[in-house]
Structures are given as structure tokens and as C-alpha cells.
Amino acid sequence: MSKLTHLDDKGEARMVDVTSKEVTEREARAEAWIRMAPGTLEMIVGGQHPKGDVLAVARIAGIMAAKKTHELIPLCHSLNLSSVKVELSPGEDGASVHILTLCKLSAQTGVEMEALTAASVAALTLYDMCKAVDRGMVIDGVRLLEKKGGRSGHWSASGPAS
């Protein structure tokens, strides 16, 4: 098992030094789910929510969150993202929204945290916008799906664990 990169030899928190790492193209995909009452999803999909297009607002919130990840997660590097995509789609169960994110850049460090933050904040935004009609919503399944690039190469949640 690899050691924790955000701890020094004394076990103290530190920002990872990426100075000597090569700049490569990197990308990461993440997902989250928000489960809700079927009526809440009907309101969202039908455009009947009093706050307007909640999916559009959640999409923008996810994009903004990816860009500000370094301000939210203390030891993350500030990154110049080249692309952030946030897709929200109604679940086939009729009572959920699936959030899928993709972040890309050319840099010395990866974008996993940005993709995860985008998915999480998009889900939180949906909760915030719909809580007046459904306080029982549940956010779950937040996870990294895939990362590409860098020294560790390609990793996929569907493949063997590394």
C-alpha cells in the first residue's frame, strides 16, 4: 500500500510538492445521486419548480465548485481547468437525479478532487433548491469513476482496484 502523500515523515499535514512532476493531460470523471420523492422529480423535470430551472442552476454550481476546489479542500492545488462538464439526468427509477462530472486539464497534478467536488456541490444545490418541497432527499453514491493521466496512469472504478 502506498503512503499518504499529504503527510510528511512526522505525520504532519502538507501540500504535495509537484514541482518536479511532468505536465501531462489529465482528466477525471465522478458521479453522485440525489434521491427524492417522485413528485419532486416530476416538478423538476416538468419545469414546475417555483425556483425555475433547478437542473441548470445545479449544473452551474457544479462547474463553479470545480473551479474553487482549492478554496474548499485545504491541501488541493489551485488548478487552471481547461474543461468542466456537469450532466444531470433523471434516474430511471423516477425518484432520483444522476450527476456525472468530467474535469480536464494539462498540469502536474490530477483533477479527481475537482470532479468529486463538482458532483457533490451539484447535488447539494439540488437539495437546497428543492428542500422546501422535499426535506427527505438523500445524497449518495458520490465516487470517482475514472482518472486518466499522470504518473499513476489510467484508473477506472469498473476495473481492478489499485
Side-chain angles (χ1 to χ4, degrees), residues 20 28 40 47 83 102 108:
S20 63
T40 305
S83 178
L102 172 66
Q108 295 167 295

Side-chain angles (χ1 to χ4, degrees), residues 12 16 21 25 47-48 70 78 110 119-120 135-136 141 146:
E12 296 175 355
V16 175
K21 289 177 106 181
E25 289 184 20
Q48 302 303 311
H70 70 283
S78 174
S120 300
R135 293 199 189 277
E146 183 178 33

Side-chain angles (χ1 to χ4, degrees), residues 30-94:
E31 73 176 347
W33 289 88
I34 181 164
R35 305 193 191 287
M36 60 194 66
T40 305
L41 183 61
E42 290 172 18
M43 186 181 292
I44 292 169
V45 172
Q48 302 303 311
H49 197 286
K51 292 186 178 179
D53 188 346
V54 297
L55 296 177
V57 174
R59 185 178 308 106
I60 296 298
I63 292 167
M64 290 176 64
K67 293 167 42 173
K68 297 208 172 264
T69 299
H70 70 283
E71 295 178 17
L72 302 169
I73 312 292
L75 300 176
C76 282
H77 292 86
S78 174
L79 300 177
N80 188 18
L81 298 170
S82 57
S83 178
V84 178
K85 294 181 181 173
V86 177
E87 298 175 4
L88 298 102
S89 54
E92 291 181 11
D93 61 1

Side-chain angles (χ1 to χ4, degrees), residues 6-8 11-15 75:
H6 286 84
L7 298 178
D8 65 16
E12 296 175 355
R14 68 175 176 108
M15 186 178 209
L75 300 176

Side-chain angles (χ1 to χ4, degrees), residues 113-150:
M113 294 309 299
E114 287 70 16
L116 287 162
T117 300
S120 300
V121 170
L124 288 167
T125 300
L126 283 175
Y127 187 94
D128 179 51
M129 295 193 72
C130 297
K131 69 183 183 270
V133 296
D134 186 357
R135 293 199 189 277
M137 291 175 288
V138 174
I139 296 169
D140 66 9
V142 178
R143 68 182 185 138
L144 182 68
L145 295 174
E146 183 178 33
K147 60 91 49 201
K148 295 180 184 177

